Amino acid sequence: MSLGDEPGYGDGPRGEDGGYGGSGQTRTRLPDRPGDVYGGARRGRGSSSRSLVTVVGVVVLLIAAIAFANRGDDAASPGDSSGDKAKTSPTAASGNHPVTSKTAGIPSGFAHTAEGAQSAAANYAVALGSADMFDKARRDQILATVIAPAEVSDFEATLDEAYTPQFNKNVGLNDDGSAPQGYIFVSRTTPIGTKTTQSSDTTATVEVWCGGLLGLAGENSTNPVTSSWFTITMKLEWTGGDWKIVSHSQKDGPAPVPGDDRASSADDIAKAVEEYGGFTYAR
């Protein structure tokens, strides 16, 4: 039932057919409101206003598109200085090629420069953060390769005290550092960037900002693979025609805000570790 069909509703006379003004149709008239300049009169649809808004919106979009296109042309012009700024940024890659020689599977033969020291530190961080460090024989081989000869014995003794059977158990490994059957042990360090804080002809102090993965990939693992962020500080010396580590320390961060990525399955992580190889880094 519409308003006006019920007796007493409406304010106009009815015709014989019960409609307004004999039209045979039911009409509803909104009551006048105090201060309403439109009163009870019929209001316009406002189509002209909407058309104007549409036109203005299209014009704004066209102006923005033209400005963006012009900006792109300017960025590509030879006189633009933004490209030069990127090239001279202290964090820009040097463009030097990575070393091609290796010792015990670890990149070696770095340039006798500050950039060479940074390249050495990045690659040494990868080796020292690898799963091989949990195997005594392989760990000693790594230390003999990246540590200055005079410091090797001290590093071996210190790390032997750190990599104990209890420590191995804490990360889910067997006493000897091997992974339990059916599991894949993941320990990877990825350098994000490096910087030199001190350098001379024979020494350099380099910081390496890293991301790391550590844990056991496998069904029902109580130590799943997790990520971390840390910064390694290495003091290097030039000896025997290469950069070698004299001292090594580590601190947490800088760590970014975690994203909302969905964690992958244990099988996906294990497959990725087996299929994706690492890099030889060059500053």
Side-chain angles (χ1 to χ4, degrees), residues 28-100:
T28 301
R29 183 174 183 272
L30 295 175
D32 294 346
R33 291 175 293 178
D36 187 352
V37 296
Y38 292 98
R42 183 179 180 182
R43 304 189 184 195
R45 296 183 179 179
S47 59
S48 60
S49 298
R50 286 198 297 270
S51 299
L52 178 60
V53 170
T54 301
V55 171
V56 171
V58 171
V59 171
V60 170
L61 289 175
L62 287 174
I63 293 174
I66 293 171
F68 182 84
N70 289 336
R71 186 183 68 176
D73 292 340
D74 293 340
S77 63
D80 185 21
S81 60
S82 61
D84 294 335
K85 289 181 180 179
K87 293 178 182 178
T88 58
S89 169
T91 59
S94 67
N96 294 330
H97 294 292
V99 296
T100 56

Side-chain angles (χ1 to χ4, degrees), residues 92-144:
S94 67
N96 294 330
H97 294 292
V99 296
T100 56
S101 58
K102 290 187 176 182
T103 302
I106 302 170
S108 61
F110 298 96
H112 190 187
T113 62
E115 290 175 351
Q118 291 185 53
S119 299
N123 287 281
Y124 293 168
V126 173
L128 293 172
S130 68
D132 287 340
M133 291 293 289
F134 289 79
D135 177 83
K136 166 63 176 171
R138 180 58 179 149
R139 180 170 69 246
D140 288 348
Q141 193 176 33
I142 292 173
L143 296 178

Side-chain angles (χ1 to χ4, degrees), residues 164-240:
T164 62
Q166 184 58 50
F167 175 73
N168 291 336
K169 286 183 179 180
N170 290 342
V171 296
L173 299 175
N174 297 322
D175 289 353
D176 62 355
S178 61
Q181 186 175 1
Y183 293 88
I184 294 178
F185 179 58
V186 180
S187 180
R188 281 200 181 187
T189 293
T190 303
I192 306 299
T194 61
K195 73 173 182 178
T196 301
T197 59
Q198 177 277 327
S199 66
S200 68
D201 186 53
T202 57
T203 64
T205 301
V206 179
E207 293 184 0
V208 188
W209 181 30
C210 304
L213 299 175
L214 181 67
L216 278 176
E219 287 296 327
N220 303 317
S221 173
T222 57
N223 293 281
V225 179
T226 59
S227 60
S228 61
W229 294 84
F230 49 91
T231 299
I232 299 171
T233 300
M234 298 182 191
K235 184 174 181 180
L236 308 172
E237 72 173 13
W238 183 257
T239 178

Side-chain angles (χ1 to χ4, degrees), residues 27 42 121 146 215:
R27 298 174 58 196
R42 183 179 180 182
V146 305

